[in-house]
């Protein structure tokens, strides 16, 4: 594998095992040099009991253009840009600009439109983020929406249970709007299983695996980081999605015995598993 430098663009939630604090270690384990562009610094993430708890939020939007201009002057370039939680339409515009300025020719644009779950936008995010995120998503090479985000990006109704038919409807609508490769998470055919659908114009493939009965924060970010690592190491999208789903499940398993650990998953304990699986592929 060629050594690659990639850029992860999302917030730092200082406590909460999500966004940059999970992406950086996971991408490093995957053998990728990972630069970061923090979009905001929060004391915690905004999910679960943290919503309405008085978390701090320092918006770093004013710093982003100057950071990117410095990199541009220094001819720092990236073989991929991977984005997650963004706080405003303005940040989305800045990400579109940095992708055209700082990506190497042929560089990958990987977008997790991390803005919603369970049928609702995350606490504190403006409605105007949705059309902005749609512009970013439909310019990307790979997008990784959950069901809520896919529904918001297409305007189709959100349904919490996703059979193959609904996965096809959502991904058809995403393809029509310009998506290229779609990795749709939360594809749940029954109560015991869940899975991930990988859709290209040519095919729809679904990987189904055991469903663990536990609400887990940050698992979308963990899935996206593991997918990105495996994909940039040369795995095809379906193999990378399968590996990322297995890794995410492993992270949840490592947390199951500790109900007090509600705000994230103990992904650190599963990093050796990830390294081993990557070594085998
Ligand atoms: O895990 C997604 C995420 C990332 N960043 C922040 C969040 C969330 C989800 O709630 O609040 C700040």
């Amino acid at each position: 594998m060629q050594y690659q430098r990639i850029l992860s663009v999302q917030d730092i939630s200082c406590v909460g095992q999500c966004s940059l604090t999970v992406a950086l270690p996971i991408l490093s384990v995957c053998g990728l040099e990972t630069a970061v562009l923090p979009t905001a610094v929060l004391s915690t993430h905004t999910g679960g009991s943290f919503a309405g708890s008085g978390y701090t939020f320092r918006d770093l939007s004013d710093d982003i253009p100057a950071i990117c201009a410095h990199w541009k002057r220094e001819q720092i370039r990236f073989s991929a840009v991977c984005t997650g939680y963004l706080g405003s339409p303005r940040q989305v515009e800045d990400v579109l600009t940095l992708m055209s300025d700082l990506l190497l020719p042929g560089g990958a644009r990987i977008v997790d439109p991390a803005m919603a779950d369970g049928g609702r936008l995350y606490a504190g995010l403006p409605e105007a983020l949705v059309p902005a995120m749609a512009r970013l998503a439909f310019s990307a090479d790979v997008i990784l929406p959950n069901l809520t985000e896919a529904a918001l990006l297409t305007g189709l109704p959100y349904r919490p249970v996703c059979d193959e038919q609904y996965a096809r409807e959502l991904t058809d609508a995403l393809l029509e709007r310009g998506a290229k490769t779609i990795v749709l998470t939360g594809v749940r055919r029954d109560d015991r299983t869940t899975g991930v659908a990988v859709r290209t114009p040519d095919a729809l493939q679904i990987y189904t695996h055991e469903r663990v009965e536990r609400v887990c924060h940050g698992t979308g970010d963990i899935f996206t980081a593991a997918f990105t690592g495996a994909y940039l190491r040369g795995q095809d999208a379906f193999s990378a999605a399968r590996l990322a789903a297995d890794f995410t499940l492993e992270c949840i398993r490592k947390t199951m015995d500790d109900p007090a650990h509600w705000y994230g998953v103990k992904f650190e304990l599963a990093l050796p598993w990830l390294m081993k699986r990557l070594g085998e592929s």
Side-chain angles (χ1 to χ4, degrees):
M1 184 191 87
Q2 209 190 338
Y3 189 70
Q4 300 176 58
R5 179 197 292 135
I6 77 157
L7 177 64
S8 178
V9 186
Q10 52 191 324
D11 70 284
I12 297 178
S13 290
C14 299
V15 169
Q17 289 172 309
C18 70
S19 43
L20 275 182
T21 67
V22 303
L24 196 48
I26 291 170
L27 291 164
S28 298
V29 160
C30 295
L32 299 161
E33 176 186 342
T34 308
V36 298
L37 183 56
T39 53
V41 179
L42 295 86
S43 50
T44 65
H45 64 64
T46 66
S49 311
F50 289 145
S53 67
Y55 55 81
T56 69
F57 185 103
R58 169 78 58 197
D59 185 355
L60 298 180
S61 297
D62 288 343
D63 295 282
I64 292 174
I67 291 171
C68 294
H70 181 213
W71 289 343
K72 198 172 173 186
R73 282 199 310 279
E74 290 301 309
Q75 300 192 3
I76 293 166
R77 297 293 182 269
F78 302 100
S79 45
V81 173
C82 177
T83 73
Y85 182 97
L86 302 171
S88 65
R90 175 181 164 199
Q91 286 192 344
V92 175
E93 290 310 313
D94 286 340
V95 167
L96 281 162
T97 306
L98 82 83
M99 281 177 166
S100 59
D101 285 353
L102 300 174
L103 267 173
L104 288 166
R109 299 162 184 241
I110 300 175
V111 170
D112 178 353
M115 59 181 171
D117 205 0
R120 287 194 294 158
L121 274 183
Y122 291 139
L125 291 180
E127 293 283 340
L129 188 62
V130 176
M133 194 63 94
R135 288 207 325 117
L136 180 62
F138 299 138
S139 74
D141 299 298
V142 182
I143 56 172
L144 300 102
N146 60 29
L147 296 180
T148 306
E149 290 152 356
L152 286 170
L153 292 173
T154 55
L156 290 178
Y158 163 72
R159 286 196 238 138
V161 176
C162 179
D163 56 9
E164 186 170 333
Q165 167 69 15
Y166 185 46
R168 196 170 281 282
E169 273 171 39
L170 284 173
T171 55
D172 273 347
L174 289 164
L175 286 173
E176 256 167 44
R177 287 163 177 75
K180 295 181 191 75
T181 295
I182 303 150
V183 180
L184 178 67
T185 56
V187 176
R188 175 146 71 94
R189 292 193 250 208
D190 57 52
D191 282 345
R192 285 182 307 103
T193 60
T194 186
V196 50
V198 177
R199 182 74 197 271
T200 60
D202 305 323
L204 171 70
Q205 288 173 286
I206 297 182
Y207 176 55
T208 301
H209 58 82
E210 176 200 346
R211 174 161 175 266
V212 181
E213 199 52 61
R214 177 167 174 151
V215 177
C216 294
H217 297 279
T219 49
D221 302 340
I222 285 169
F223 177 88
T224 293
F227 170 87
T228 301
Y231 183 69
L232 294 176
R233 283 171 66 103
Q235 293 195 13
D236 62 71
F238 187 64
S239 305
R242 212 169 39 194
L243 175 79
D246 289 346
F247 175 60
T248 306
L249 198 58
E250 191 64 19
C251 295
I252 297 170
R253 286 204 189 100
K254 297 281 186 203
T255 319
M256 287 298 280
D257 62 347
D258 186 357
H261 199 100
W262 62 267
Y263 52 85
V265 290
K266 299 179 180 177
F267 74 96
E268 306 83 357
L269 304 179
L271 290 176
W273 180 98
L274 178 61
M275 232 176 197
K276 185 161 174 287
R277 265 286 289 265
L278 285 167
E280 288 160 4
S281 56

